[in-house]
Amino acid sequence: MHVVILAEFAAASGGAEKVALESARGLAEAGLGVTYIQAIPGPVDPLLDHAGIRRIDLGLPDIWSLGAARAAAAGIWHAAAARRLAAALAGLAAPPDCIHLHQWTRTLSPAIVPVLSETGVPLVVTLHDYALACPNGVYYRFDRAEPCGLTPLSAACLAARCDPRSRVHKAVRVARAAALRQVVGRASRRRPLHVVHVCDASRQRLGALLGGYALTHHRIDNPVRLPDGPAAEPARGDAIAYVGRLTREKGADLVADAARAAGLPALFIGAGPLEAELRARDGVEVIGWQRPEAVWATLRARARALAAPSRWYETGPLTVYEALAAGIPVVASDRSGAAEKVRHGRTGFVVAPEIAPLAEAFAALRDDALAAALGAKARRLFRVAPMGLAAHTAALRALYAGLAESAAGAMQHPPALALEQRS
């Protein structure tokens, strides 16, 4: 079997790229032929260094590197991206059995959807966020610091000042979402689009928001790479840790406030818009971005718990799952997909993303015996039902094989008969 994995980067700067890279490696190790197509030039992760993986670089610009007008136009419809992707697919030595799309918003744009649809190859899209439905991609009101409840592209949605940048930026995103809705709707009428959800909550939420498309929904956990080294000892940790982009929608400010209220230091690994504000606070330490091995060395030495108090409906934060696997308790937002993997009172706490409940959970973790027990239970339960790369790869292989078999079967029947069988 030959699978094309399409992403915008070949190195992990976020969860979507990390999943794409891990998937490519896992599938190649399982004996599948993998073509990894990256849209934007840049660093290449060593995970792609495998005999079973061929990499193609489309050489497209990151639209954020363009001027405002060109970036807006390319974000809405990047014709060059469509042409280069079509040429890359046509030039493959062997046709793919499946194409798996992970990212499209930084340069590929809605223009690639007709290209992918016209190949006739089954198309799978992993929904790492809400960009298939929501103009700003995260279904969150940045103007109100709360999740959105509006119907995407409704009159109320168009009027909302929800974009984190500006009204002009919102207008561009609305135009992009409208273009996407048109081409996805047209493509899904030709053949169902297969979407992969990474948590149950996003499947339920997006299922309602995407009712206008012909979609087939699948549920596959993101792969979790087990941190190297022995189990963590959270009872020895001195701080509540946060790993990721330092933003309000992810609740970085809540961690600082709640840790202070609980009488514990807050340790931040990452960078972002709140970095200067956090560095100025007492009891807060910000150490910036670190390599994965350095992150886990720090967490094992310092973390009493990992906090992930997202205000938005975050789908599947990998760091949360990795912390549980390492034996570190997690305090997760009840709005996040991570809450589905945290057992309240057994492996951590699931609370509202507000200062008071977070502070209560952090204060409880000052008890050494409780911190140790939660961490040990988290590590033990993860090993009973691992979310590792092997499980992720097996689920993908089963999905691809089923789609390839269905596609082959459909080609053996006249269109009218094939339609009758699907109904």
Side-chain angles (χ1 to χ4, degrees):
M1 181 175 287
H2 175 208
V3 176
V4 168
I5 293 180
L6 177 57
E8 291 185 306
F9 298 96
S13 61
E17 302 104 320
K18 189 171 183 181
V19 172
L21 293 164
E22 294 278 3
S23 297
R25 182 64 180 229
L27 292 167
E29 290 179 349
L32 279 70
V34 176
T35 298
Y36 189 99
I37 300 180
Q38 69 180 94
I40 301 170
V44 178
D45 194 289
L47 285 171
L48 297 181
D49 185 14
H50 187 281
I53 300 175
R54 179 194 178 198
R55 183 176 61 86
I56 298 174
D57 186 341
L58 298 182
L60 294 164
D62 184 338
I63 62 171
W64 293 115
S65 68
L66 305 174
R70 291 179 62 203
I76 296 168
W77 192 266
H78 199 175
R83 291 194 299 270
R84 293 189 192 185
L85 177 60
L89 293 173
L92 295 177
D97 297 288
C98 187
I99 299 174
H100 196 145
L101 173 63
H102 283 271
Q103 297 167 300
W104 58 272
T105 58
R106 290 286 288 271
T107 198
L108 290 173
S109 85
I112 67 166
V113 175
V115 172
L116 297 174
S117 176
E118 289 164 9
T119 65
V121 175
L123 174 62
V124 176
V125 182
T126 291
L127 304 181
H128 297 283
D129 52 27
Y130 299 87
L132 197 59
C134 168
N136 75 21
V138 291
Y139 203 50
Y140 182 79
R141 295 288 300 269
F142 287 89
D143 56 333
R144 297 182 177 181
E146 64 184 25
C148 184
L150 303 175
T151 300
L153 298 186
S154 65
C157 168
L158 300 183
R161 295 177 175 269
C162 61
D163 196 87
R165 293 174 178 268
S166 68
R167 293 283 287 179
V168 172
H169 202 260
K170 168 70 181 286
V172 172
R173 291 190 183 217
V174 165
R176 181 180 69 184
L180 181 69
R181 175 173 290 191
Q182 184 177 35
V183 294
V184 170
R186 193 158 53 233
S188 67
R189 285 193 293 272
R190 295 179 60 184
R191 61 177 58 84
L193 176 67
H194 295 268
V195 294
V196 171
H197 300 273
V198 301
C199 69
D200 296 336
S202 72
R203 176 171 183 168
Q204 181 179 5
R205 193 171 294 117
L206 270 166
L209 296 176
L210 297 173
Y213 301 144
L215 302 177
T216 302
H217 297 266
H218 307 272
R219 171 70 176 85
I220 300 177
D221 281 326
N222 282 336
V224 177
R225 183 170 290 274
L226 296 177
D228 294 332
E233 297 183 65
R236 295 187 177 184
D238 68 306
I240 300 296
Y242 171 104
V243 179
R245 187 162 164 74
L246 307 181
T247 64
R248 295 193 193 283
E249 67 271 20
K250 292 178 74 69
D253 57 314
L254 293 174
V255 176
D257 289 335
R260 181 181 178 87
L264 287 167
L267 173 66
F268 292 89
I269 304 175
L274 296 184
E275 184 172 350
E277 175 187 324
L278 293 171
R279 287 186 184 276
R281 298 192 187 199
D282 292 334
V284 169
E285 182 181 353
V286 181
I287 62 175
W289 290 115
Q290 306 286 317
R291 294 185 60 81
E293 56 272 21
V295 171
W296 289 107
T298 300
L299 291 178
R300 281 197 172 89
R302 301 284 308 279
R304 185 157 284 257
L306 181 84
S310 292
R311 290 182 170 102
W312 75 287
Y313 295 128
E314 194 166 9
T315 53
L318 290 170
T319 305
V320 166
Y321 308 143
E322 292 166 348
L324 293 170
I328 299 172
V330 171
V331 180
S333 167
D334 59 5
R335 298 175 185 172
S336 170
E340 298 169 11
K341 302 298 184 183
V342 179
R343 299 196 181 187
H344 185 74
R346 299 179 65 197
T347 64
F349 298 101
V350 177
V351 301
E354 301 167 2
I355 295 172
L358 285 165
E360 183 179 355
F362 294 167
L365 285 159
R366 296 181 64 176
D367 183 315
D368 291 347
L370 178 63
L374 295 179
K377 186 73 171 180
R379 184 175 173 88
R380 194 158 55 245
L381 289 179
F382 184 89
R383 277 155 176 72
V384 171
M387 298 165 57
L389 184 57
H392 178 78
T393 300
L396 289 180
R397 291 181 67 188
L399 172 59
Y400 299 155
L403 297 182
E405 183 178 351
S406 296
M411 293 177 64
Q412 297 175 14
H413 302 281
L417 179 58
L419 179 60
E420 181 181 351
Q421 290 183 339
R422 286 197 297 273
S423 63

